[in-house]
Amino acid sequence: FSIVQLVSTSVTHYSIPEEMKEGSVVANLATDLRLDVKTLNERKIRLDIVANKKYLDVNKETGELYIMEKIDRELVCNTKSTCYLRLEVTLENPIRIFNIDVEILDMNDNAPQFRRDTIYLDVSEAAPKGERFSLSNAVDPDVGSNSVKTYYLSESEYFNIEVQTGRDGSKNSELILLKQLDREQQAVHNLTLTAVDGGKPARSGTASVIVRVLDTNDNKPTFDKSLYNVKIMENSPIGSLVLHLNATDSDEGSNSDITYSYSLYTSEKTQEKFHLNPTSGEITVRGMLNYEEFNIYDMEVIATDKGANSLSGQCTIKILVEDMNDNHPELSIKSFQSPVSEDIKLDTVIAVVSVSDKDSGENGIVDLHIPDNMPFKLKKSTDNYYELVVSEALDREKVPEYDITFTVTDRGSPPLSDNETMTLELLDVNDNVPQFPKSFYTIRVMENNAPGALLESLSAFDPDLHENQYLVYVIIEKEIANTSMSMLFSINPEDGKLHALKTFDYEIEKEFHFHIEARDSGSPPLSSNVSVHIIIVDQNDNAPVIVSPWRAHGSVVEEKIPRSTDKGSLVAKVIALDTDSVHNSRITYQFLQVTDATLFSLDQYNGEIRTMRMFSYRDPRHQRLVIVAKDNGEPSLSATVTIKLSTEETAVKAYSDMTEVPLEYDIFSDLNLYLVIGLGSVSFLLLITILVTIVLKCQKAKPSKAAPPSRNSVISERNSTIADSTLVSNDAYWYSLFLAETRKGKLVVRQPVPKGSRYIVSSIPRGTGLTDTSDSAAST
């Protein structure tokens, strides 16, 4: 732009565009006012701006008028007319005042602007084509050609605008309806109105025009379906929702408010079962539903709006009531056979059962069951009929009766069931033999028992019932030594108690074997037997009997012994026998009295009496020994023997200790040994003579009647009363030795056998009469 100077006589005019920048020179006052630049500072130039003093100033050195701050014409003047900045320039010495007008020229620096960004218009959908509607104008602070020139409307098939010019030159626009509106098709039309100024380049401003179409009641309510099919469970509680109807009306306001009602075609029964809410359109259950009673309901519902001229629509609803598994299955026992025999045949029918269910579909299909662990099974005969048959062998003794529970269950979800229990009793048959608790009875009976004493109760058991379990007991006959068992024992035929009929003696009868039979009373009867072993238990009822040394009269035995007997020599041997059992017959020996306890010893087990030392001249010539033999019974029994020993100085036969030899060998019965006591040193010839004499005596010498019995004699008198007898003993500590005296006999010595074995000691038969041979000597 160029600065134009307006020259007048009183006011100096300048015109400047408002877009001039800060610092731009407006005019050179020194030049324009013909002022001397050199004297400006001296004359104190001063610029007074009447208005808007902040925009202009004068350079005091050059006299140039320049812009201090960018000028906005619309802000400075705010008017559509011309815009001036008035200034006064004052010089001193002399004072001169200059008036200057600076005109601010407009530029198109502002776009048109609507007072509101959005313009709302309400147009009835019944408005006729061609109807006009005023729109707000846009304003532009620029002036002249830079102000609003015209208006434009966005494309629309329903609206257009027409621009008109006012008396003051302002531009106005009107909205014109091109065709009738349909609110239900388009309730709101969004348009854009644009205002354009005449500047170069042109500027524009826009506003949104929202046309709201006002409703008229020109649409009736409609349902989304003309026919509704609804399923509902029969057990639906009262008040439960069946269907929510939602009729729509494309109108608005009261024109779209809808009420619902049943039509005249809806039956009273349906209306009694279902309630229709007139406001919300909800259909709910009013009465109890029962599929088995009625399962299909038809209804017609009308929807009416609330417009001035109300319109309505309708729909049909079919409600299908679905079956609920609400009926328990039922069972009926048509026949039941009880009791039955326990030997009933397999596949025999014992019951017939019918089942049913009022429900339908899966809810009405039923199944019948019995427990899996029973010997029965179900067979389906016809529809809903079952037969209960025997599938396994029955045994009354194991299970006397069965509680059979019939359970019927439908296939609904959840399933329902019913049950009934019947008791099947089993009749007994005689199919079990009597049973003894043991297969073998060992009964110990103490000897000397009282006749009739109870020995044992041999009761058997029969699991059958009634007469099939009534038992009779008998002893199976067996003879022993021409004696029947029934003479020795008796059994109670009813309770099986066994009694002894006699008193038993262990030393005579030690055991019995027989059988007892138990027989039931069934038809046919069944029986079983058990083996009985009677053992007679020994009592200590026999005292020991001393069989050696033999006592002819009384209990005193006299023996002679040389005083020269060595230490450890056998003086005598005491033998006692006890006919009781092993335990009671075990014998031990003890001294009751002894003249000198230091001279003799007694073996407590074999009864041997030996010297503990040699006799001295101080020892008495006569010794008295009292020996007791005790058995092992409780209480213990005993026997005693007294031995009187006399020592002598004369030579006597020498006897050696008894030596045990095998049974097959005998020793010489007339062996008499004489011991010769020599003192000092004897010549060899005298010794030979003595030896020859001893040998001759052993072969030829005959003992006189007065000869003393040997100290090793077991039986000292010839008239023994126990010869030719047999003795039995089981004592493990005894020697198996039996000595018997005969007129013509030999000494028999048996070897001992192992402990616990039975020893039998027997004698050689004794002869009669005397003989003069050497064999007639007393045997030892």
Side-chain angles (χ1 to χ4, degrees):
F1 297 93
S2 60
I3 300 175
V4 179
Q5 180 181 9
L6 299 178
V7 180
S8 84
T9 56
S10 58
V11 178
T12 302
H13 296 276
Y14 295 98
S15 296
I16 61 173
E18 63 176 326
E19 67 265 24
M20 287 190 70
K21 296 181 181 180
E22 179 181 342
S24 298
V25 177
V26 177
N28 192 323
L29 296 181
T31 302
D32 294 338
L33 299 178
R34 298 179 178 86
L35 299 175
D36 186 1
V37 177
K38 296 181 180 179
T39 62
L40 287 178
N41 291 332
E42 297 176 357
R43 299 180 66 178
K44 298 182 181 179
I45 185 171
R46 184 174 74 249
L47 178 63
D48 292 327
I49 298 176
V50 176
N52 299 314
K53 297 180 180 180
K54 63 178 180 179
Y55 295 109
L56 298 174
D57 199 2
V58 177
N59 188 327
K60 296 179 181 181
E61 293 181 355
T62 62
E64 293 177 338
L65 179 65
Y66 63 94
I67 297 175
M68 296 177 60
E69 184 178 329
K70 188 175 183 304
I71 301 173
D72 186 350
R73 176 185 176 280
E74 289 72 29
L75 182 62
V76 172
C77 297
N78 194 17
T79 179
K80 291 292 184 179
S81 59
T82 58
C83 180
Y84 293 97
L85 290 177
R86 299 188 184 278
L87 304 94
E88 285 185 353
V89 177
T90 301
L91 293 176
E92 295 180 358
N93 299 319
I95 296 175
R96 291 185 64 183
I97 299 174
F98 301 92
N99 293 320
I100 299 174
D101 287 339
V102 179
E103 182 181 5
I104 308 301
L105 300 178
D106 180 53
M107 65 173 293
N108 193 22
D109 59 347
N110 291 283
Q113 186 175 5
F114 291 92
R115 292 184 177 87
R116 291 180 295 176
D117 293 336
T118 302
I119 302 172
Y120 292 96
L121 286 179
D122 292 333
V123 181
S124 173
E125 62 178 333
K129 175 182 177 182
E131 188 170 349
R132 294 172 175 266
F133 307 94
S134 297
L135 298 176
S136 299
N137 293 335
V139 295
D140 192 333
D142 295 326
V143 296
S145 61
N146 292 332
S147 64
V148 176
K149 180 179 181 180
T150 188
Y151 292 92
Y152 299 99
L153 185 66
S154 60
E155 185 178 357
S156 171
E157 61 176 316
Y158 290 95
F159 298 96
N160 200 354
I161 60 170
E162 184 176 301
V163 179
Q164 296 180 351
T165 303
R167 293 179 180 179
D168 57 355
S170 63
K171 302 293 183 178
N172 299 317
S173 62
E174 288 184 336
L175 188 66
I176 302 175
L177 181 63
L178 298 179
K179 67 178 184 179
Q180 192 171 359
L181 300 174
D182 186 351
R183 192 201 66 80
E184 288 72 36
Q185 182 178 355
Q186 186 173 354
V188 177
H189 295 266
N190 293 311
L191 305 175
T192 301
L193 180 63
T194 303
V196 181
D197 61 19
K200 294 183 179 179
R203 292 178 178 270
S204 62
T206 61
S208 295
V209 179
I210 298 177
V211 179
R212 295 178 294 196
V213 182
L214 300 179
D215 180 59
T216 61
N217 192 22
D218 57 349
N219 293 279
K220 67 179 181 179
T222 58
F223 293 91
D224 53 357
K225 294 180 182 179
S226 60
L227 174 64
Y228 291 89
N229 289 311
V230 182
K231 294 181 180 180
I232 184 172
M233 299 304 295
E234 65 173 323
N235 67 335
S236 298
I238 294 176
S240 59
L241 179 65
V242 178
L243 178 64
H244 188 183
L245 292 174
N246 185 24
T248 58
D249 192 325
S250 53
D251 295 326
E252 66 179 359
S254 61
N255 296 329
S256 64
D257 292 340
I258 297 174
T259 58
Y260 301 88
S261 62
Y262 286 122
S263 71
L264 298 177
Y265 295 101
T266 305
S267 67
E268 292 295 330
K269 183 176 182 179
T270 300
Q271 296 185 40
E272 289 175 358
K273 295 293 183 180
F274 301 96
H275 174 260
L276 174 62
N277 189 312
T279 302
S280 65
E282 292 182 346
I283 300 176
T284 56
V285 177
R286 171 177 284 176
M288 295 300 298
L289 304 177
N290 190 341
Y291 173 87
E292 290 72 30
E293 177 184 341
F294 202 78
N295 53 34
I296 299 178
Y297 294 90
D298 294 308
M299 62 180 68
E300 189 177 75
V301 176
I302 299 175
T304 305
D305 64 27
K306 296 180 180 180
N309 297 315
S310 61
L311 302 176
S312 63
Q314 65 185 22
C315 70
T316 301
I317 301 169
K318 184 180 292 293
I319 298 177
L320 303 177
V321 178
E322 289 190 326
D323 181 45
M324 180 67 182
N325 194 22
D326 58 345
N327 290 285
H328 284 263
E330 298 176 354
L331 65 87
S332 175
I333 299 178
K334 300 300 182 182
S335 68
F336 190 84
Q337 182 182 355
S338 178
V340 297
S341 177
E342 65 174 318
D343 60 352
I344 188 172
K345 294 182 180 180
L346 299 181
D347 291 330
T348 301
V349 178
I350 60 176
V352 176
V353 182
S354 68
V355 294
S356 62
D357 195 318
K358 294 180 181 179
D359 293 321
S360 63
E362 290 292 316
N363 297 330
I365 300 176
V366 297
D367 300 295
L368 185 64
H369 306 279
I370 60 172
D372 299 334
N373 58 348
M374 288 194 170
F376 310 101
K377 64 181 179 181
L378 289 168
K379 288 185 178 179
K380 192 169 185 179
S381 57
T382 59
D383 289 343
N384 297 332
Y385 278 88
Y386 291 84
E387 291 179 345
L388 181 68
V389 299
V390 179
S391 61
E392 299 176 16
L394 305 180
D395 188 349
R396 189 208 63 80
E397 286 69 39
K398 292 182 179 178
V399 182
E401 65 180 21
Y402 292 91
D403 290 328
I404 305 175
T405 300
F406 297 93
T407 302
V408 59
T409 305
D410 61 28
R411 298 183 185 178
S413 180
L416 299 178
S417 62
D418 192 14
N419 61 73
E420 186 171 347
T421 301
M422 302 295 289
T423 300
L424 176 66
E425 298 180 4
L426 300 184
L427 296 176
D428 181 58
V429 296
N430 193 25
D431 57 349
N432 291 278
V433 298
Q435 300 172 5
F436 286 94
K438 301 178 183 178
S439 60
F440 185 87
Y441 282 88
T442 298
I443 303 173
R444 298 182 179 274
V445 180
M446 189 68 69
E447 67 172 331
N448 304 317
N449 59 293
L454 176 64
L455 303 183
E456 184 71 56
S457 180
L458 303 177
S459 297
F461 170 72
D462 193 324
D464 293 324
L465 289 179
H466 309 305
E467 67 276 359
N468 295 330
Q469 73 171 174
Y470 296 150
L471 303 181
V472 177
Y473 301 89
V474 295
I475 297 176
I476 299 178
E477 289 297 333
K478 180 180 180 182
E479 290 188 357
I480 300 178
N482 297 325
T483 302
S484 171
M485 285 293 108
S486 298
M487 299 177 63
L488 301 177
F489 304 96
S490 70
I491 189 167
N492 189 315
E494 295 182 356
D495 58 17
K497 291 183 177 179
L498 184 65
H499 298 265
L501 297 179
K502 61 166 286 187
T503 300
F504 297 107
D505 188 348
Y506 171 82
E507 287 72 34
I508 299 176
E509 301 154 318
K510 292 182 170 55
E511 61 182 359
F512 302 93
H513 288 276
F514 56 90
H515 289 82
I516 291 178
E517 180 184 78
R519 182 172 57 251
D520 62 28
S521 302
S523 179
L526 300 177
S527 64
S528 64
N529 59 64
V530 66
S531 177
V532 178
H533 181 199
I534 303 293
I535 298 176
I536 308 302
V537 180
D538 179 53
Q539 280 188 331
N540 193 26
D541 56 350
N542 292 282
V545 176
I546 297 177
V547 298
S548 177
W550 173 247
R551 298 159 292 173
H553 303 286
S555 60
V556 179
V557 177
E558 294 185 358
E559 296 283 353
K560 292 183 184 253
I561 184 172
R563 285 186 75 85
S564 60
T565 300
D566 293 332
K567 175 183 178 182
S569 298
L570 180 63
V571 174
K573 183 176 181 70
V574 179
I575 297 176
L577 298 179
D578 194 323
T579 57
D580 290 324
S581 64
V582 174
H583 180 78
N584 293 326
S585 63
R586 186 172 298 171
I587 306 296
T588 56
Y589 303 91
Q590 294 178 353
F591 279 130
L592 280 182
Q593 294 180 10
V594 60
T595 304
D596 189 345
T598 65
L599 186 55
F600 302 101
S601 66
L602 173 61
D603 191 305
Q604 64 174 335
Y605 298 116
N606 60 23
E608 291 182 350
I609 302 174
R610 294 181 180 271
T611 57
M612 296 175 62
R613 59 180 175 82
M614 294 185 64
F615 290 94
S616 68
Y617 68 92
R618 295 179 182 177
D619 293 324
R621 185 170 178 272
H622 300 285
Q623 298 286 335
R624 185 173 183 272
L625 305 177
V626 180
I627 297 94
V628 61
K630 292 183 178 180
D631 63 22
N632 197 41
E634 184 64 39
S636 176
L637 301 179
S638 63
T640 60
V641 62
T642 301
I643 301 176
K644 289 185 177 180
L645 292 179
S646 299
T647 59
E648 59 182 14
E649 300 294 340
T650 59
V652 297
K653 289 184 179 180
Y655 300 92
S656 62
D657 292 341
M658 294 172 56
T659 305
E660 299 177 49
V661 295
L663 180 62
E664 293 79 13
Y665 299 97
D666 293 339
I667 63 174
F668 293 108
S669 60
D670 293 335
L671 180 58
N672 294 314
L673 298 178
Y674 294 92
L675 298 178
V676 179
I677 302 175
L679 299 174
S681 176
V682 181
S683 64
F684 178 74
L685 183 58
L686 180 59
L687 178 60
I688 294 299
T689 302
I690 295 173
L691 292 176
V692 171
T693 302
I694 293 175
V695 172
L696 291 176
K697 291 293 184 179
C698 289
Q699 293 177 351
K700 298 180 180 180
K702 298 178 181 178
S704 64
K705 294 181 180 179
S710 170
R711 67 177 180 272
N712 292 332
S713 297
V714 178
I715 299 176
S716 60
E717 298 292 337
R718 295 182 183 274
N719 55 347
S720 173
T721 60
I722 65 169
D724 303 328
S725 66
T726 299
L727 301 178
V728 180
S729 173
N730 291 330
D731 195 331
Y733 296 99
W734 283 8
Y735 280 90
S736 172
L737 177 63
F738 177 78
L739 301 179
E741 180 184 15
T742 78
R743 293 192 180 273
K744 290 185 179 180
K746 296 182 180 180
L747 177 64
V748 179
V749 180
R750 296 198 178 192
Q751 288 182 327
V753 296
K755 179 179 180 181
S757 300
R758 177 176 298 171
Y759 306 107
I760 300 177
V761 184
S762 63
S763 69
I764 299 174
R766 179 178 61 187
T768 58
L770 296 175
T771 178
D772 293 334
T773 65
S774 61
D775 291 337
S776 63
S779 62
T780 59

